[in-house]
Amino acid sequence: MSGKSSQLYDIFESPLGTLYLIFSGTQLTGISFKKPMNIGFKKGVAPKNFRKELEEYFQGRGDKFTQKIKFLEGTDFELKVWLCLKNVPCGETRTYKWVAENIGMPTATRAVGQALSKNPIPIVLPCHRIIESDGAIGGYSSGVHIKRRLLDLEYYSRINKK
């Protein structure tokens, strides 16, 4: 997995603050709340369709992302965890245990948490929808306050659709 030196980033202003959308060619490789500091990153323009999907998501009108993604890093285990996140519907939550069971490793809940903390494409791969078995919100690499806001946004947009 290589190609970091040819990555581009675009800026997207969201209700949660500035997001940096990171691409390798036309494939999304990352979403970050911090500006990429690697000197190989250049300012570019994200595909219009993906920007539109993000706008709709933050307006509570969309919850599907069709943008092609590419992983530049990650173990086989981490990739399984990250891809499993696509099975968690918008406005709903699942547990770390649920993820572990769904990837065929039911005792790996702690390892699932570690993998989630490294998710390079949050929001699109919705690690914020994973909570603890007792209902506690759990951690989030960009801060628990961001996780809570994403969950609230999805919950209230889902309620308004009913």
Side-chain angles (χ1 to χ4, degrees):
M1 296 184 208
S2 63
K4 279 189 166 185
S5 62
S6 62
Q7 290 191 98
L8 303 172
Y9 74 91
D10 196 3
I11 297 171
F12 181 87
E13 294 300 335
S14 81
L16 304 175
T18 302
L19 296 177
Y20 295 90
L21 313 176
I22 305 165
F23 285 84
S24 178
T26 59
Q27 295 177 307
L28 180 67
T29 61
I31 295 178
S32 177
F33 288 88
K34 297 179 183 161
K35 183 177 180 180
M37 300 308 286
N38 184 319
I39 59 172
F41 285 77
K42 293 184 169 74
K43 179 75 170 81
V45 179
K48 287 181 182 175
N49 189 54
F50 180 56
R51 291 182 69 85
K52 183 176 185 251
E53 290 174 346
L54 275 175
E55 287 169 6
E56 290 173 352
Y57 170 79
F58 283 113
Q59 293 167 0
R61 297 185 295 120
D63 59 12
K64 299 283 187 255
F65 294 102
T66 60
Q67 175 62 49
K68 292 200 184 308
I69 61 174
K70 177 180 180 179
F71 296 113
L72 300 179
E73 295 178 347
T75 65
D76 289 344
F77 176 81
E78 289 168 340
L79 298 180
K80 283 181 187 177
V81 169
W82 299 336
L83 290 173
C84 179
L85 298 171
K86 291 181 173 186
N87 299 318
V88 183
C90 186
E92 296 183 22
T93 58
R94 299 292 185 270
T95 64
Y96 296 97
K97 181 177 174 64
W98 179 89
V99 174
E101 289 170 347
N102 273 267
I103 63 168
M105 301 184 74
T107 60
T109 55
R110 288 183 95 104
V112 164
Q114 288 297 313
L116 292 175
S117 73
K118 298 176 186 176
N119 176 10
I121 312 175
I123 300 170
V124 172
L125 298 177
C127 53
H128 61 277
R129 296 179 190 155
I130 308 303
I131 61 171
E132 295 180 11
S133 293
D134 66 0
I137 196 163
Y140 193 65
S141 61
S142 298
V144 174
H145 66 290
I146 298 283
K147 182 175 186 172
R148 187 165 285 134
R149 287 190 63 198
L150 285 166
L151 291 171
D152 285 348
L153 177 127
E154 291 182 2
Y155 174 78
Y156 289 113
S157 68
R158 188 168 173 245
I159 295 297
N160 291 333
K161 287 180 185 177
K162 290 183 177 183

